[in-house]
Amino acid sequence: MALLEVRDLKTHFRTDDGIVKAVDGVSFSIEKGQTLGIVGESGSGKSVTCLTIMGLNPKRNTISSGEAIFKGENLLAMSSSRLRDIRGNDIAMIFQDPMTSLNPVHRIGAQLVEAIQLHRDVTKRQARARALELLNAVGIPRAERRIDDYPHQFSGGMRQRVMIAMALVNDPDLLIADEPTTALDVTTQAQILTLMTDLQKDFGSAIIIITHDLGVIAEVADDVVVMYAAKVAEHAPVDNLFKRPHHPYTWGLLGSLPRLDADVERLVQIRGQPPSLLNPPRGCRFHPRCPYVMGICKTVEPELLPAGDEADHVQACHLDVATKDREAAKVLAGTMAEAS
Amino acid sequence: MVRYLARRVIWAAVLFIAVTLVAYVLFFLIPNDPAKLVAGKAATDADVKRAAHFLGTDRPFYVQYAKFLDRLVIHQNLGFSFANRQSVNSIVGNAAPVTASLVFGGAIFWMLLALPIGILSALRPRSLLDRASMTFVLIGISAHPIWIGLIFAYFFGFKLGWTPITGYCDFINPSTDCGGPVQWAYHLVLPWATFAILFAALYVRMIRANVLDTMNEDYVRTARSKGAPEHLVLRSHILRNAMLPVVTMLGMDISLALGGAVFTETVYSLPGLGKTAIFGLNNNDIPTVEGVIVFATLAIIVFNLVVDLLYAWIDPRIRLT
Ligand SMILES: Nc1ncnc2c1ncn2[C@@H]1O[C@H](COP(=O)(O)OP(=O)(O)OP(=O)(O)O)[C@@H](O)[C@H]1O
Ligand SMILES: [Mg+2]
């Protein structure tokens, strides 16, 4: 049994302009100790997917459906007190922006101690010792002195380390990291990623990591979900995705990766803007931006199916597999089809 | 910290000189002779001169001001009233507790109203409670305190007879007719309410807005993601942050309210600083008026310092430099 199995997850927000379908039928699963990467453009519903799993969307205007089965229990259907037991204990989350994710008026030690004492029946002193252990583990220099500092006394990278320490403090089985490195500079990014993978080895947690950056995915993920406009466009083991990408949107993402060996001029950007989630395009949601668009794409929504012979590599595109393989080969060689 | 305090004290001294000096100058611009008042209606020119000499008003104004400063700084003495020869120290000493009761009691009163209403309407926006409280805010902000005072006095005091309309009872020293905490509060309920309505309205609005803003902060989501129960999220994460600007505003508004107390004291004839100052002004009683000004200035300076220290204590991001 998978550690977490998400089935047909939908999250819609009621807004003044209408219903925003931020997540519209997303399914995936993740095993113990594995890393799942979720990539996609800004606004494709990556964060909302994870917030829905954690039950952290604003209650007032959210409608969610589908299932998120975690160790046999549906997170979307359980009581709020049971969900609170799981949050921070079995599933922990690291957020996109380390600058605003820590409470400015509490010492970081107190924030870690709170995380521990919410789930463990330990004294303050024991909790503090554990907090210190984690701060050392995430590489905060002179942690025993800095534990009583306030968040504003830390840099962005250090705050993200604190967030990671706080997330790992109760040994969660699943760690959800929502763009943990986006707000940081390149060197710090690399350090944080290494830190997360090292800690994963030590703690044995499964990780869901959200990112815009295929480079990050290549480095840490076992499995990749490519999201486009609230839906899954492609889902494959990481090697497969990089060797034999099936979806034109994935090609676009791969094509826009800077390559040292190819002519920079040929860098491909995906044309146009992501579609509105209030009123998504009919048929395939990617068709208005797709260089390979066919008649069928404008009316029939493609299903998420294996294109070739690997059952664990699914994609939602009407192109035939021969064309896919040919075009994918061009993209990987650094030349996107002239159709774009 | 030491440098901060030193700077604050120097500032306070400058402010103090400026305020008292301006008050003095204003008095000399008013064409009125306190000596005439003191000497009485039937006094001869010689009588008035003698009175002026006795009061010291025949000297140039800078000499008077210097003497005033000397008395104040060296002897902590505010002088004697021109009107009734009482020590201004004791006049101010009697009036200050009345005003303090009014202002601080009023502040507690308005916060007791504004906190629960503001928080609850932020937690349930667009609910019936929220709409009702917004209506209250609108009324509270649009109505003038004097009008509210008169309406309150008429209905609750006169028509319903629930509360006394005038007078003040001492908190500690019971006089013959009244005294003690119960009578004290009983006599102040109407003034407090009058005084508090406007501020309560402003604070409901401010608290509601702050709580609504803070609820959407990322760190509140972090707290929930740790598994914190809602009451803890509200208390330790939302309110703790949402109240920071409220504390600053409270500090400023209490100083402001000291000025506003003049109206309330007049409506309910409370023998506080405001009423004393007005009485002094009407009688050209410079020492009394100056005494009130000196005391109020000092009180506001000290109070602001306390608020700043308190603020630095509750918000770790503030550094006192
Ligand atoms: N509470 C909400 N109410 C209304 N709309 C929302 C809400 N939260 C998210 N959305 C909308 O849902 C869509 C998906 O947002 P989401 O944050 O999941 O994007 P994302 O893929 O994480 O993007 P990014 O890479 O920029 O973080 C966006 O269009 C966003 O505006
Ligand atoms: Mg996001």
Side-chain angles (χ1 to χ4, degrees):
Chain A
M1 191 179 65
L3 177 69
L4 172 71
E5 177 147 11
V6 174
R7 286 196 215 115
D8 198 26
L9 191 73
K10 291 188 180 164
T11 302
H12 298 177
F13 297 109
R14 264 172 288 146
T15 67
D16 294 339
D17 302 323
I19 306 269
V20 175
K21 297 178 180 166
V23 177
D24 210 12
V26 165
S27 305
F28 56 79
S29 67
I30 177 167
E31 306 288 336
K32 248 187 116 202
Q34 294 260 302
T35 301
L36 173 77
I38 303 182
V39 273
E41 277 169 296
S42 197
S44 53
K46 307 179 299 290
S47 297
V48 173
T49 301
C50 294
L51 291 174
T52 308
I53 294 169
M54 292 285 278
L56 289 175
N57 283 308
K59 290 217 173 52
R60 213 166 299 136
N61 65 339
T62 310
I63 315 155
S64 293
S65 66
E67 293 179 323
I69 312 290
F70 179 76
K71 295 186 184 169
E73 283 177 281
N74 185 0
L75 297 169
L76 269 62
M78 66 178 50
S79 70
S80 45
S81 72
R82 177 75 190 112
L83 187 59
R84 278 201 299 273
D85 288 344
I86 290 179
R87 279 183 197 155
N89 191 20
D90 301 283
I91 308 179
M93 189 154 177
I94 303 168
F95 296 95
Q96 207 159 340
D97 190 352
M99 301 310 276
T100 54
S101 295
L102 289 163
N103 192 327
V105 300
H106 295 305
R107 296 174 198 277
I108 60 145
Q111 300 190 47
L112 269 93
V113 165
E114 180 185 39
I116 299 166
Q117 288 193 313
L118 280 167
H119 299 287
R120 304 266 181 281
D121 195 10
V122 295
T123 63
K124 238 200 181 104
R125 189 189 228 125
Q126 291 168 314
R128 198 179 147 89
R130 171 75 180 151
L132 196 58
E133 187 186 327
L134 260 292
L135 288 177
N136 277 315
V138 297
I140 304 272
R142 295 183 300 122
E144 59 291 343
R145 254 193 263 160
R146 308 229 50 190
I147 189 168
D148 287 322
D149 280 354
Y150 288 96
H152 71 271
Q153 293 164 291
F154 283 70
S155 68
M158 285 297 152
R159 286 190 215 188
Q160 198 61 301
R161 285 169 200 262
V162 172
M163 283 300 291
I164 295 175
M166 196 153 82
L168 292 175
V169 87
N170 290 317
D171 264 329
D173 297 316
L174 176 61
L175 177 65
I176 301 177
D178 186 354
E179 307 195 28
T181 59
T182 308
L184 309 174
D185 64 81
V186 183
T187 345
T188 321
Q189 273 186 21
Q191 288 171 358
I192 297 277
L193 284 179
T194 320
L195 172 69
M196 283 181 49
T197 42
D198 288 353
L199 292 171
Q200 182 179 32
K201 279 185 211 118
D202 299 347
F203 292 79
S205 326
I207 297 182
I208 297 179
I209 182 166
I210 298 180
T211 174
H212 302 273
D213 185 349
L214 280 174
V216 170
I217 295 285
E219 208 168 307
V220 301
D222 300 305
D223 250 338
V224 190
V225 168
V226 179
M227 277 188 77
Y228 183 76
K231 283 179 176 287
V232 176
E234 185 161 9
H235 180 175
V238 69
D239 292 341
N240 253 342
L241 190 92
F242 282 96
K243 274 199 213 108
R244 205 182 165 196
H246 284 326
H247 198 288
Y249 177 64
T250 315
W251 302 341
L253 292 178
L254 286 167
S256 49
L257 264 185
R259 301 171 54 109
L260 295 176
D261 55 335
D263 193 342
V264 182
E265 298 258 329
R266 289 209 215 98
L267 261 181
V268 188
Q269 296 294 336
I270 305 165
R271 294 178 302 166
Q273 293 295 312
S276 145
L277 298 176
L278 277 168
N279 198 357
R282 267 167 58 79
C284 171
R285 292 188 174 186
F286 188 54
H287 87 254
R289 302 170 75 188
C290 183
Y292 306 92
V293 60
M294 306 176 290
I296 184 176
C297 303
K298 294 175 184 166
T299 50
V300 181
E301 188 166 340
E303 280 181 67
L304 198 61
L305 291 171
D309 31 22
E310 301 109 341
D312 56 356
H313 185 163
V314 291
Q315 50 82 51
C317 174
H318 290 302
L319 285 176
D320 61 283
V321 72
T323 316
K324 283 176 187 295
D325 282 342
R326 197 182 62 235
E327 294 301 322
K330 282 194 207 164
V331 172
L332 295 177
T335 54
M336 187 74 164
E338 278 316 305
S340 64
Chain B
M1 185 71 194
V2 175
R3 281 190 49 188
Y4 170 81
L5 281 178
R7 237 195 27 234
R8 284 297 294 250
V9 168
I10 293 170
W11 249 116
V14 171
L15 191 67
F16 179 75
I17 301 272
V19 170
T20 50
L21 192 61
V22 166
Y24 242 89
V25 170
L26 282 180
F27 260 105
F28 278 86
L29 293 180
I30 302 172
N32 226 331
D33 192 352
K36 269 198 192 123
L37 277 170
V38 170
K41 280 208 180 75
T44 61
D45 278 0
D47 288 339
V48 171
K49 251 200 185 108
R50 227 186 16 253
H53 184 72
F54 180 65
L55 295 174
T57 50
D58 55 345
R59 315 284 290 276
F61 110 87
Y62 53 85
V63 176
Q64 290 188 46
Y65 182 65
K67 282 182 84 175
F68 160 80
L69 272 189
D70 167 70
R71 247 199 336 252
L72 179 65
V73 177
I74 311 293
H75 307 287
Q76 285 86 45
N77 183 352
L78 289 164
F80 294 89
S81 161
F82 286 174
N84 54 19
R85 305 307 303 151
Q86 265 187 16
S87 137
V88 174
N89 282 22
S90 78
I91 294 178
V92 170
N94 286 333
V98 181
T99 304
S101 301
L102 179 65
V103 172
F104 289 101
I108 291 171
F109 199 97
W110 91 56
M111 285 313 280
L112 284 179
L113 268 176
L115 274 175
I117 300 179
I119 293 169
L120 285 175
S121 49
L123 293 181
R124 311 235 177 296
R126 299 187 205 185
S127 66
L128 196 65
L129 173 89
D130 187 31
R131 283 164 210 271
S133 79
M134 285 304 110
T135 313
F136 161 73
V137 167
L138 203 66
I139 295 173
I141 290 174
S142 355
H144 194 280
I146 290 205
W147 180 78
I148 292 180
L150 293 173
I151 295 283
F152 274 13
Y154 180 73
F155 277 105
F156 297 117
F158 179 68
K159 278 278 175 186
L160 298 170
W162 288 355
T163 59
I165 301 174
T166 60
Y168 176 76
C169 284
D170 209 280
F171 188 85
I172 307 163
N173 300 319
S175 60
T176 45
D177 49 342
C178 72
V182 176
Q183 283 294 324
W184 171 79
Y186 182 53
H187 278 78
L188 280 170
V189 166
L190 270 195
W192 281 340
T194 306
F195 191 66
I197 291 287
L198 169 68
F199 285 109
L202 291 171
Y203 275 73
V204 164
R205 198 170 61 172
M206 180 165 72
I207 291 170
R208 177 181 182 272
N210 281 338
V211 172
L212 276 175
D213 274 357
T214 313
M215 280 197 303
N216 294 322
E217 291 287 349
D218 286 350
Y219 53 78
V220 173
R221 192 178 58 190
T222 305
R224 292 209 172 92
S225 82
K226 293 198 283 193
E230 280 308 303
H231 66 87
L232 189 70
V233 172
L234 181 66
R235 187 163 43 80
S236 165
H237 296 277
I238 299 179
L239 292 185
R240 183 72 170 68
N241 282 283
M243 287 309 135
L244 295 179
V246 177
V247 172
T248 327
M249 282 306 287
L250 195 60
M252 294 201 265
D253 281 338
I254 288 181
S255 309
L256 249 182
L258 275 173
V262 173
F263 298 110
T264 320
E265 284 174 10
T266 312
V267 171
Y268 292 102
S269 25
L270 296 171
L273 289 173
K275 206 154 175 284
T276 306
I278 298 227
F279 180 79
L281 275 174
N282 289 338
N283 294 295
N284 262 322
D285 187 354
I286 302 179
T288 303
V289 176
E290 279 290 337
V292 170
I293 290 174
V294 165
F295 181 81
T297 309
L298 278 179
I300 289 178
I301 287 170
V302 170
F303 182 71
N304 279 335
L305 183 62
V306 170
V307 168
D308 280 1
L309 294 175
L310 182 73
Y311 196 57
W313 181 60
I314 60 175
D315 188 346
R317 283 163 300 183
I318 307 277
R319 313 236 80 215
L320 299 177
T321 47

